[in-house]
Amino acid sequence: NDVKGSKSVTIKVTTPSNTTTSKPTSPSKPSTSTKPSGSGSTSNNNKTNTKSSNANLRNLLLSVEGLTPAFSKNITSYSLTVGENIDTIKVNASVEHSRASYSVSGNTNLKIGENVITIRVTAEDGTVKTYKINVLKSDDPVKSDATLSSLIIEDVNLGQTFDPNVTEYNAGDIEVKSNTLNIFAYPNNENAKVEIIGNENLGVGEHKITIRVTSENGKVSKDYIISFNKLYSEDNVDIYGDSLKNADGEGSIWDKLKNLYNNVLKENMTIIFLYIFVWIEFIQVVYLYEKLKKHEDVDKITIGKREKKSKEEQKIKKTRRVKENPVFPDEEDKK
């Protein structure tokens, strides 16, 4: 207290009511034996372990020009036409995320016709995205073109906008009364051949229809596949109450007749009626000709009989005149 400027401080110590318990843990040293739920350290670990799912390409460059459409990271299907002297196409690409990777296949030993270059991008977390380039190798691209310019199926939604480079479509569940679909497929080259396979006896259930396009020169073919599930409904029963598909999986006789009409007769009714009309006219002409010919033959016979009868009558008349007025040589001399 004698020190100048010093102050006295009174400290009061309070004894806890229960002195037999163990010493309390100091608040400055929290227990580390257990970690409370939702601790900051756990949150930091989760953030550290999150991996990217970005599997996009940043850019794409090829050793030949003509990629259609122009590259975009969101477009995964492209087309390219090259000459017959091109055997390999170099692919130079970069990924959008630094920890993603990519691989290229199908860009070597290109054959005449359709080829597919596949660029497979794998994200950090394993997500995979595939870019495809459909390569047509030919010195005459027009005659080697086996792609469709448009594809329309009546009363059926393909599930996505038609793309000539996309060859598989899933129309999902459909409800159509007919057991065949009205398909309108138009090739880029009007001289290419289009064949529709599997578009008959479409009963209730899963189906696949293949539209096969063969190029004008016959060297290239391409298949477009449409998958769908035909649902059962009251409209899928014909007017006689028979299912459009019987228990054996084959169409009824009435169904086959309808198929014949829809697939053959319906589109050619004008020609069929024209043929029928021509045949009727032909039969009439033949009938009239035969009838006229018969009359002509009858007339000839009648005329012949008349002429013969006339000659006979003249002969009889002449004989009668001789008998009625006989002429003798002596009387003639007297005259």
Side-chain angles (χ1 to χ4, degrees):
N1 292 333
D2 293 338
V3 179
K4 188 178 180 180
S6 64
K7 295 181 180 180
S8 62
V9 179
T10 303
I11 299 175
K12 184 177 180 180
V13 179
T14 303
T15 304
S17 58
N18 187 7
T19 58
T20 62
T21 59
S22 59
K23 294 182 180 181
T25 305
S26 173
S28 61
K29 296 181 181 180
S31 175
T32 59
S33 60
T34 59
K35 294 181 179 179
S37 175
S39 65
S41 59
T42 303
S43 174
N44 291 335
N45 289 338
N46 287 339
K47 185 175 180 180
T48 303
N49 293 333
T50 301
K51 295 183 178 181
S52 171
S53 60
N54 188 338
N56 293 326
L57 285 179
R58 183 186 300 276
N59 57 47
L60 175 64
L61 298 175
L62 304 179
S63 59
V64 294
E65 296 181 351
L67 186 68
T68 305
F71 173 74
S72 170
K73 66 180 182 180
N74 297 321
I75 300 175
T76 58
S77 183
Y78 301 87
S79 62
L80 177 66
T81 301
V82 298
E84 292 185 355
N85 60 324
I86 302 296
D87 294 325
T88 300
I89 296 177
K90 294 181 180 180
V91 178
N92 185 14
S94 63
V95 292
E96 198 169 59
H97 192 272
S98 60
R99 293 182 180 176
S101 61
Y102 75 90
S103 61
V104 180
S105 62
N107 62 322
T108 60
N109 299 320
L110 301 178
K111 66 180 187 300
I112 299 296
E114 290 282 351
N115 300 267
V116 178
I117 297 177
T118 301
I119 304 170
R120 182 183 172 94
V121 183
T122 304
E124 183 185 13
D125 68 350
T127 301
V128 175
K129 188 172 184 178
T130 302
Y131 295 82
K132 289 186 178 181
I133 305 173
N134 297 283
V135 181
L136 174 62
K137 179 177 177 179
S138 173
D139 280 342
D140 192 340
V142 175
K143 290 187 177 181
S144 297
D145 191 350
T147 58
L148 292 176
S149 61
S150 64
L151 174 62
I152 301 172
I153 304 179
E154 187 177 357
D155 298 328
V156 174
N157 185 351
L158 292 176
Q160 65 182 85
T161 303
F162 174 74
D163 184 342
N165 296 318
V166 177
T167 57
E168 294 189 11
Y169 297 87
N170 192 338
D173 296 334
I174 67 171
E175 292 186 21
V176 291
K177 183 175 181 180
S178 175
N179 60 349
T180 60
L181 300 182
N182 291 327
I183 300 175
F184 305 92
Y186 302 98
N188 275 328
N189 180 359
E190 61 181 7
N191 294 322
K193 178 184 176 182
V194 178
E195 182 182 5
I196 300 176
I197 304 169
N199 187 27
E200 62 275 334
N201 294 328
L202 300 178
V204 175
E206 298 284 344
H207 297 278
K208 281 187 178 182
I209 294 178
T210 300
I211 302 173
R212 180 165 296 162
V213 185
T214 304
S215 63
E216 182 181 358
N217 59 15
K219 294 182 178 180
V220 183
S221 63
K222 193 170 188 176
D223 288 349
Y224 293 86
I225 299 174
I226 298 94
S227 303
F228 59 91
N229 177 38
K230 186 177 180 183
L231 300 177
Y232 174 82
S233 70
E234 294 298 328
D235 291 336
N236 288 332
V237 178
D238 64 25
I239 61 176
Y240 291 104
D242 295 330
S243 174
L244 287 177
K245 201 167 186 181
N246 60 28
D248 296 331
E250 297 179 357
S252 63
I253 295 176
W254 172 247
D255 207 27
K256 292 178 180 178
L257 290 176
K258 289 196 297 183
N259 282 341
L260 178 64
Y261 172 77
N262 291 329
N263 297 334
V264 179
L265 300 180
K266 187 176 181 180
E267 297 180 357
N268 301 294
M269 288 304 294
T270 302
I271 297 176
I272 292 172
F273 280 123
L274 181 61
Y275 272 113
I276 293 173
F277 176 76
V278 170
W279 272 105
I280 291 174
E281 291 297 318
F282 176 75
I283 292 171
Q284 288 181 344
V285 169
V286 171
Y287 173 75
L288 293 174
Y289 173 76
E290 291 294 333
K291 189 174 181 180
L292 180 60
K293 185 178 179 182
K294 184 177 180 180
H295 281 292
E296 288 179 352
D297 293 340
V298 171
D299 290 340
K300 288 180 180 180
I301 294 172
T302 303
I303 293 171
K305 288 181 178 180
R306 288 176 181 176
E307 290 179 352
K308 184 178 181 180
K309 185 176 181 181
S310 177
K311 289 180 181 180
E312 290 177 353
E313 288 178 351
Q314 290 177 4
K315 187 176 180 180
I316 292 171
K317 288 180 180 180
K318 185 176 179 180
T319 304
R320 287 177 181 174
R321 285 198 304 268
V322 171
K323 289 182 179 179
E324 290 175 357
N325 301 308
V327 179
F328 299 96
D330 294 341
E331 294 181 359
E332 189 67 29
D333 291 340
K334 290 179 181 180
K335 292 180 179 180

